[in-house]
Amino acid sequence: MHKIALYSSLALSLGALSPAFAATPVASGSATLVLGGDALDAVSIGMLTGVARGSELRATYDADGGFYSAIDWTIPASTAAWVDTAGAPALQQVSFTGDLAVTAPFLRGVSTGGSVTISDLAVDFDLRRVSAMVSGDNDLTTGRVDLFTWFEPETRSVTVTPYNRFLCCEGTPPNAERASFSYLISDLRLTLDGQDALAQGLGLTTEGRGFLQIVREPFGSLAVNVTLEGDLGQFTTPVPEPSTWALMGVGLLAMAGVARRRKTA
């Protein structure tokens, strides 16, 4: 009875401290798009402005020189798909929320004026494609467009750590892990479809579109930092944390004390 009571007390205390475990892996994190030098020149020449919703847009503008020296856009992750590659997880696709509305003023010889809204960005690492829902002015058809692609392999870093099954969560399976992915696409290229969508929505003239076409260096870079938490298939061997060992030790000592008292009696 003493042993049963001890086990029950231990199980109840652990259960009270442990939240419910989510079996389906949950994605969190963000991606940051950073414009390159040629893209910054094109944005500056067109006098483009942007407004972000559900995301963060940072821009450094030199009012004296009349140009942008830095622009980056950070968007939160919503879902992610992964695959087992040679015993290690790898991202296949990541979807993001938030949108960015870009506006071009009337500028003689460059733009008749207009705007484009980019939302629901999705990165496909297998196809090397970045797509988004695009809508805008000048009769631009709303739909998903492949905006960017890349040719050089992205830089990848993956860290996987096991959950503590005793202290983490109620119902934690042995395959519960946390995987952190850091992918860097350093040579993001604007596609022809991307050029067409931006040129139409922003009302770019032939000369204005030419500024997009002369972006020689990569349009920018995309840093994807995503964490998946859940049942990932056990890429690591679960090891109890020091606090778990201590708790187990207390339980064993208590059991030994009960057994000693019973033997003495």
Side-chain angles (χ1 to χ4, degrees):
M1 289 297 295
H2 291 287
K3 291 183 179 180
I4 294 175
L6 182 62
Y7 288 142
S8 300
S9 176
L10 183 59
L12 287 173
S13 63
L14 289 175
L17 294 173
S18 301
F21 177 80
T24 303
V26 178
S28 61
S30 63
T32 299
L33 171 64
V34 180
L35 297 193
D38 286 352
L40 289 172
D41 290 342
V43 171
S44 299
I45 292 171
M47 300 178 66
L48 305 183
T49 57
V51 176
R53 291 183 291 266
S55 54
E56 184 180 3
L57 178 66
R58 294 178 293 270
T60 302
Y61 184 74
D62 185 334
D64 294 331
F67 62 88
Y68 288 98
S69 59
I71 296 177
D72 63 76
W73 180 37
T74 299
I75 48 180
S78 58
T79 61
W82 59 276
V83 65
D84 182 356
T85 58
L91 289 176
Q92 283 184 308
Q93 298 177 340
V94 184
S95 298
F96 301 88
T97 59
D99 61 58
L100 176 64
V102 181
T103 301
F106 170 78
L107 192 61
R108 188 178 300 277
V110 177
S111 172
T112 59
S115 67
V116 170
T117 298
I118 300 170
S119 61
D120 299 328
L121 208 73
V123 182
D124 190 316
F125 290 98
D126 289 341
L127 300 179
R128 294 190 178 182
R129 178 179 65 192
V130 179
S131 64
M133 290 298 297
V134 177
S135 60
D137 297 335
N138 304 309
D139 299 321
L140 177 62
T141 301
T142 300
R144 183 160 288 277
V145 176
D146 292 341
L147 291 177
F148 302 104
T149 187
W150 67 95
F151 304 108
E152 296 296 327
E154 64 275 3
T155 302
R156 299 186 175 192
S157 174
V158 182
T159 303
V160 184
T161 55
Y163 272 92
N164 187 310
R165 296 181 60 196
F166 294 97
L167 298 180
C168 167
C169 310
E170 179 183 349
T172 306
N175 295 337
E177 294 170 313
R178 178 185 291 107
S180 298
F181 304 87
S182 293
Y183 285 16
L184 176 62
I185 303 169
S186 57
D187 68 329
L188 210 60
R189 309 278 176 167
L190 186 64
T191 65
L192 290 178
D193 288 343
Q195 290 181 22
D196 289 340
L198 291 176
Q200 182 175 342
L202 297 175
L204 299 184
T205 64
T206 301
E207 183 179 355
R209 178 168 179 143
F211 293 127
L212 288 178
Q213 295 172 336
I214 63 174
V215 177
R216 301 299 182 187
E217 66 181 35
F219 191 88
S221 64
L222 185 67
V224 178
N225 295 287
V226 172
T227 297
L228 284 175
E229 297 183 272
D231 189 348
L232 300 180
Q234 193 167 337
F235 293 98
T236 60
T237 302
V239 178
E241 298 178 0
S243 57
T244 300
W245 287 115
L247 190 60
M248 292 172 62
V250 171
L252 291 174
L253 288 175
M255 290 175 62
V258 170
R260 189 178 298 109
R261 285 195 299 271
R262 291 182 59 185
K263 183 176 181 180
T264 302

